[in-house]
């Protein structure tokens, strides 16, 4: 799957992943009204509104980008109905030939980790059959429990030709409380990055590993270090746009071949119509605003890369 991701990045010339992290406050009133009229102000109504909102976004941008990243919590908050909307979203994105990164941030050990891996990336045996559940192409994983938590995911990824993005240096302001702690004079996140490179060596694609890393756009110096420590790992870069990251901050996340990183924007894309820059789009044209935001983001990143 890493080979497909790279192929699609080259084809679209857009190293961008759209974060499908819908809050109800992002969903235009006309969509909410239709869903509530059909299902009431219920969990089912909320989940349907999220699904209809997602579908509009996907239809508008699928030809511009290689990948999407639905954040599981935004769906889980609506219970079983939300998980159904998550599944519909994953399946529809696959119909559009998008690579799907399940932002699930799982982190456990042993059989529990194996069960998470099977549910999101692999298959489960039911009697004489094997079935896929959520069936994302990549998943985000928390490495805090060490190799016991990562290896079951790596094993499933090898079987299914799928991949991981492992949290290394996250974009949030308090990430340094633990990730920046010095061990023998080096921050903890550097040691995690070295383990990502080690795990990645077990599962290589043509040029890059199936095992990548999450390194936030808000810490460009860390991105520069991680690029050196993990030359064969793809870096998923959150924090662009709404969290302050800009194209110029990201050049060191990429390798000299112009590859090696994919940049996430969530509300900067899906809630673009609420931003001053795209205020000329009405709520009814929220998907058109999302498309404009993707085009602007691609121009910003590519312009920064070409300027190096």
């Amino acid at each position: 799957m890493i080979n497909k991701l790279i192929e699609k990045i080259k084809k679209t010339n857009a190293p961008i992943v759209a974060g499908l992290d819908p809050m109800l406050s992002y969903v235009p009133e006309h969509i909410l009204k239709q869903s509530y009229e059909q299902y009431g102000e219920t969990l089912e109504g909320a989940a349907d509104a999220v699904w209809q909102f997602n579908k509009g976004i996907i239809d508008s941008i699928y030809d511009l980008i290689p990948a999407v990243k639905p954040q599981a919590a935004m769906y889980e908050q609506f219970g079983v109905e939300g998980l159904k909307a998550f599944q519909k979203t994953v399946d529809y994105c696959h119909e559009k030939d998008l690579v799907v990164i399940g932002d699930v941030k799982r982190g456990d050990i042993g059989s529990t980790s194996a069960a998470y891996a099977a549910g999101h990336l692999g298959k489960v045996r039911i009697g004489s059959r094997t079935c896929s559940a959520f069936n994302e192409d990549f998943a985000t994983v928390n490495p805090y429990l060490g190799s016991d938590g990562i290896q079951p995911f790596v094993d499933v990824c090898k079987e299914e030709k799928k991949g991981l993005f492992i949290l290394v240096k996250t974009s949030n302001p308090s990430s340094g409380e633990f990730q920046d702690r010095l061990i023998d004079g080096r921050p903890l996140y550097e040691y995690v990055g070295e383990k990502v490179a080690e795990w990645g060596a077990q599962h290589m694609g043509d040029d890059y590993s199936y095992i990548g890393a999450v390194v936030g756009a808000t810490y460009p110096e860390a991105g520069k270090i991680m690029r050196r420590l993990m030359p064969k790992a793809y870096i998923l870069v959150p924090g662009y746009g709404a969290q302050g990251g800009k194209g110029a901050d990201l050049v060191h996340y990429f390798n000299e071949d112009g590859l090696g990183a994919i940049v996430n924007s969530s509300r900067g894309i899906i809630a673009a119509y609420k931003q001053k820059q795209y205020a000329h789009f009405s709520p009814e044209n929220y998907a058109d605003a999302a498309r404009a935001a993707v085009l602007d983001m691609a121009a910003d990143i590519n312009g920064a890369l070409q300027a190096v």
Side-chain angles (χ1 to χ4, degrees):
M1 193 55 65
I2 188 65
N3 295 335
K4 178 177 179 178
L5 178 62
I6 293 169
E7 178 186 334
K8 289 187 69 65
I9 288 172
K10 290 178 178 178
K11 180 179 179 180
T12 58
N13 195 31
I16 292 171
V17 54
L20 298 178
D21 308 352
M23 309 261 308
L24 285 183
S25 60
Y26 299 168
V27 179
E29 187 62 34
H30 71 283
I31 295 178
L32 289 170
K33 182 179 179 182
Q34 291 171 0
S35 295
Y36 292 163
E37 284 178 353
Q38 185 170 359
Y39 298 104
E41 294 182 349
T42 62
L43 294 173
E44 189 175 7
D48 182 71
V50 163
W51 156 239
Q52 298 298 339
F53 175 75
N54 281 354
K55 187 174 183 298
I57 295 284
I58 296 161
D59 285 343
S60 184
I61 67 174
Y62 76 91
D63 61 318
L64 301 179
I65 60 173
V68 294
K69 183 175 70 64
Q71 215 304 323
M74 298 305 176
Y75 304 85
E76 291 172 359
Q77 65 182 323
F78 303 119
V80 172
E81 297 300 332
L83 287 176
K84 290 178 182 177
F86 180 86
Q87 185 70 76
K88 285 181 181 178
T89 298
V90 171
D91 292 345
Y92 192 66
C93 288
H94 280 151
E95 288 178 22
K96 297 293 188 179
D97 198 36
L98 288 163
V99 173
V100 179
I101 302 169
D103 193 358
V104 296
K105 295 186 178 71
R106 300 308 190 213
D108 216 303
I109 59 172
S111 59
T112 308
S113 184
Y116 279 138
H120 286 281
L121 299 173
K123 296 181 175 67
V124 291
R125 178 164 290 279
I126 304 171
S128 60
R129 299 180 60 219
T130 55
C131 302
S132 297
F134 292 112
N135 197 32
E136 300 104 299
D137 302 307
F138 291 81
T140 57
V141 182
N142 190 325
Y144 196 72
L145 294 175
S147 296
D148 291 337
I150 299 299
Q151 195 60 51
F153 276 92
V154 174
D155 292 342
V156 169
C157 286
K158 286 181 179 179
E159 293 174 7
E160 303 293 334
K161 301 297 185 192
K162 294 187 177 182
L164 304 176
F165 287 103
I166 297 173
L167 305 183
V168 174
K169 176 59 179 169
T170 55
S171 59
N172 56 301
S174 65
S175 66
E177 290 177 359
F178 297 121
Q179 296 166 19
D180 292 358
R181 290 285 180 173
L182 297 182
I183 302 172
D184 296 332
R186 299 171 64 204
L188 175 60
Y189 68 77
E190 289 192 20
Y191 291 93
V192 179
E194 288 175 344
K195 287 298 291 186
V196 168
E198 181 183 318
W199 290 320
Q202 301 179 39
H203 189 28
M204 286 294 300
D206 291 343
D207 298 304
Y208 286 88
S209 173
Y210 284 76
I211 312 302
V214 178
V215 182
T218 45
Y219 300 102
E221 287 303 310
K224 187 185 300 185
I225 294 168
M226 289 299 97
R227 182 70 284 162
R228 175 174 54 82
L229 292 178
M230 307 178 301
K232 296 297 184 181
Y234 238 79
I235 299 177
L236 171 61
V237 189
Y240 179 91
Q243 293 186 53
K246 305 182 296 296
D249 300 325
L250 306 177
V251 293
H252 297 297
Y253 293 73
F254 291 82
N255 280 318
E256 291 183 0
D257 59 6
L259 300 170
I262 185 165
V263 184
N264 177 79
S265 178
S266 297
R267 62 185 180 272
I269 292 174
I270 66 174
Y273 79 99
K274 288 179 169 283
Q275 300 170 28
K276 184 177 180 180
Q277 182 179 356
Y278 305 105
H280 56 286
F281 290 98
S282 69
E284 287 75 17
N285 298 117
Y286 75 97
D288 294 329
R291 185 176 180 87
V294 168
L295 291 169
D296 288 344
M297 182 178 174
D300 179 37
I301 295 171
N302 288 325
L305 290 173
Q306 291 167 11
V308 175

